[in-house]
Amino acid sequence: MHPLSLHSESHFWRLVLSHCQRLGLSLSELAEKAELSRTTLHQLSTGKTRQPQSKTVHRIAEALGVDPTALTQPPPVAPTSSHAVTFVAPVATDFARFNELTNPEVTRLKEHAPELFQGWSASDFEELYSCFGVGGALTEEGVRLEAARICEKRETVRKLEILLETHLREAVLLMVDSLFQSVQATPESLRNHS
């Protein structure tokens, strides 16, 4: 299907999050009900995917029990006045705050075990907050495992960056491209991994 042109991605995600909160759904549960990966929702919410496919919007709407047009209609226009001030929170902030509220163990461990998160960027925390366990929010053990996985990934990327600055650059690029092509050949494996 073709991408659906939305009037405002942030308005779209505010509506999605509002419906999730109304139904008591976490984003992980929404992803499961809509048969979408959490990665897909994350990319849409942060603007990495600017225009969702029509089928994606329809799946989200069906999972939320609303008509797709309820998620894609333009935001209401505030009356214009020289004194009126309109504040629209960026969608990334909405999404991050929603993830914080639905994964409280991450916040608790940030306070009680800060050594787990040394050198982390906002995107590292965003990735961790968006993770969910089998039954919902991560347990303490789940947070520790995911934090270790993110640290391992960061270290691998650091090593890869170093290798790309050496005489092995071409070999590394060929290897990465070959591995990437093998994953691209099986898109179902990506969806199952997400």
Side-chain angles (χ1 to χ4, degrees), residues 67-121:
D67 188 275
T69 57
L71 299 176
T72 58
Q73 57 189 310
V77 178
T80 55
S81 163
S82 59
H83 302 303
V85 176
T86 303
F87 174 75
V88 177
V91 72
T93 302
D94 293 344
F95 188 72
R97 183 68 184 135
F98 183 81
N99 279 336
E100 276 185 54
L101 293 173
T102 58
N103 228 336
E105 194 63 31
V106 175
T107 303
R108 193 185 75 69
L109 275 175
K110 274 174 52 179
E111 294 170 6
H112 292 88
E115 68 279 1
L116 292 174
F117 312 106
Q118 277 188 324
W120 277 39
S121 67

Side-chain angles (χ1 to χ4, degrees), residues 47-180:
K48 290 180 182 172
T49 300
R50 294 197 85 44
Q51 295 193 332
Q53 296 287 322
S54 177
K55 69 179 181 180
T56 301
V57 173
H58 283 266
R59 284 181 176 181
I60 291 170
E62 185 177 328
L64 295 172
V66 299
D67 188 275
T69 57
L71 299 176
T72 58
Q73 57 189 310
V77 178
T80 55
S81 163
S82 59
H83 302 303
V85 176
T86 303
F87 174 75
V88 177
V91 72
T93 302
D94 293 344
F95 188 72
R97 183 68 184 135
F98 183 81
N99 279 336
E100 276 185 54
L101 293 173
T102 58
N103 228 336
E105 194 63 31
V106 175
T107 303
R108 193 185 75 69
L109 275 175
K110 274 174 52 179
E111 294 170 6
H112 292 88
E115 68 279 1
L116 292 174
F117 312 106
Q118 277 188 324
W120 277 39
S121 67
S123 64
D124 293 328
F125 281 108
E126 191 176 299
E127 182 179 346
L128 180 59
Y129 274 119
S130 70
C131 294
F132 283 84
V134 174
L138 293 172
T139 61
E140 178 178 341
E141 180 184 356
V143 173
R144 288 178 183 276
L145 289 171
E146 286 298 324
R149 184 190 60 77
I150 291 168
C151 286
E152 179 183 48
K153 183 175 83 171
R154 289 174 69 231
E155 181 61 15
T156 301
V157 169
R158 186 189 69 77
K159 289 176 182 176
L160 183 60
E161 288 172 343
I162 291 170
L163 286 170
L164 288 172
E165 297 298 323
T166 70
H167 66 284
L168 297 173
R169 176 184 172 78
E170 290 303 315
V172 169
L173 289 172
L174 285 171
M175 183 182 69
V176 169
D177 189 51
S178 175
L179 291 170
F180 184 76

